[in-house]
């Protein structure tokens, strides 16, 4: 089929089904964006078990021009602290409430992303922002001379 013959068919398809999306499953998974644009993300499983406000605040401070995509199909009790944090940080956000954004454990609750590809290797919040070592923890005491002698005998 020549390009001139195909053009009306393409326009008709677009009118009937909307503009075709590039990688729709990927966009659905990452709350409307592509994996290559994600800085850090939090799954529904993670957000139900731990608060990541401090970790996200670190990401907000490092990239104030990025946008937080929020799965608005989750309970307000879960999202409340993150809504307050993003507002306080002055970072843009978008609440995604379409039915295509699910709330299963493997689905994403929060995606912090930009408009261009950054290809961040690790986007999982727990892996990116590992807990810091407690500086107040006391180091284990090594035994004195008497303890060392006891081990010898």
């Amino acid at each position: 089929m020549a390009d001139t013959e195909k053009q009306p068919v393409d326009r008709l398809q677009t009118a009937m089904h909307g503009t075709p999306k590039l990688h729709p499953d990927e966009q659905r998974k990452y709350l409307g964006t592509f994996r290559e644009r994600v800085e850090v993300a939090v799954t529904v499983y993670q957000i139900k078990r731990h608060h990541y406000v401090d970790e996200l605040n670190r990401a907000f401070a490092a990239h104030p021009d990025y946008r937080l995509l929020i799965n608005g199909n989750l309970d307000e009790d879960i999202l409340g602290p993150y809504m307050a944090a993003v507002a306080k940080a002055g970072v843009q956000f978008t609440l995604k409430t379409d039915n295509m954004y699910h709330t299963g454990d493997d689905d994403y609750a929060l995606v912090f992303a930009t408009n261009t590809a950054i290809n961040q290797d690790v986007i999982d919040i727990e892996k990116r922002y590992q807990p810091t070592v407690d500086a107040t923890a006391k180091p284990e005491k090594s035994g004195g001379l008497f303890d060392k002698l006891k081990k010898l005998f």
Side-chain angles (χ1 to χ4, degrees):
M1 189 182 291
D3 282 343
T4 55
E5 294 173 13
K6 189 175 178 187
Q7 202 171 29
V9 172
D10 288 344
R11 282 195 300 214
L12 183 59
Q13 289 290 336
T14 299
M16 290 172 44
H17 304 290
T19 305
K21 288 195 173 216
L22 185 64
H23 306 290
D25 292 336
E26 181 180 1
Q27 288 189 50
R28 194 171 16 262
K29 180 177 180 176
Y30 296 103
L31 301 178
T33 193
F34 298 105
R35 163 65 177 85
E36 65 193 19
R37 297 178 177 182
V38 177
E39 173 68 20
V40 68
V42 182
T43 65
V44 171
Y45 179 84
Q46 290 171 321
I47 204 169
K48 286 180 178 178
R49 281 150 185 78
H50 184 72
H51 286 285
Y52 295 98
V53 173
D54 292 339
E55 292 84 350
L56 281 172
N57 278 328
R58 288 171 51 192
F60 297 160
H63 304 286
D65 55 326
Y66 289 10
R67 175 183 298 271
L68 184 66
L69 304 172
I70 303 169
N71 187 338
N73 295 323
L74 291 168
D75 290 337
E76 189 177 323
D77 295 349
I78 293 172
L79 297 178
Y82 303 97
M83 299 290 288
V86 74
K88 184 176 180 183
V91 171
Q92 293 183 2
F93 68 92
T94 303
L95 199 60
K96 302 286 190 159
T97 57
D98 293 345
N99 290 336
M100 71 175 123
Y101 303 117
H102 302 289
T103 58
D105 285 348
D106 292 337
D107 296 309
Y108 282 106
L110 305 169
V111 174
F112 190 52
T114 186
N115 293 331
T116 59
I118 54 174
N119 296 312
Q120 189 62 253
D121 288 337
V122 178
I123 64 168
D124 182 270
I125 196 155
E126 288 180 358
K127 293 177 183 170
R128 284 287 298 285
Y129 297 102
Q130 294 177 351
T132 55
V133 177
D134 185 3
T136 61
K138 295 179 181 177
E140 190 177 309
K141 286 186 177 181
S142 62
L145 179 61
F146 183 70
D147 289 334
K148 290 178 184 175
L149 285 173
K150 277 187 2 183
K151 289 181 183 177
L152 289 175
F153 297 103

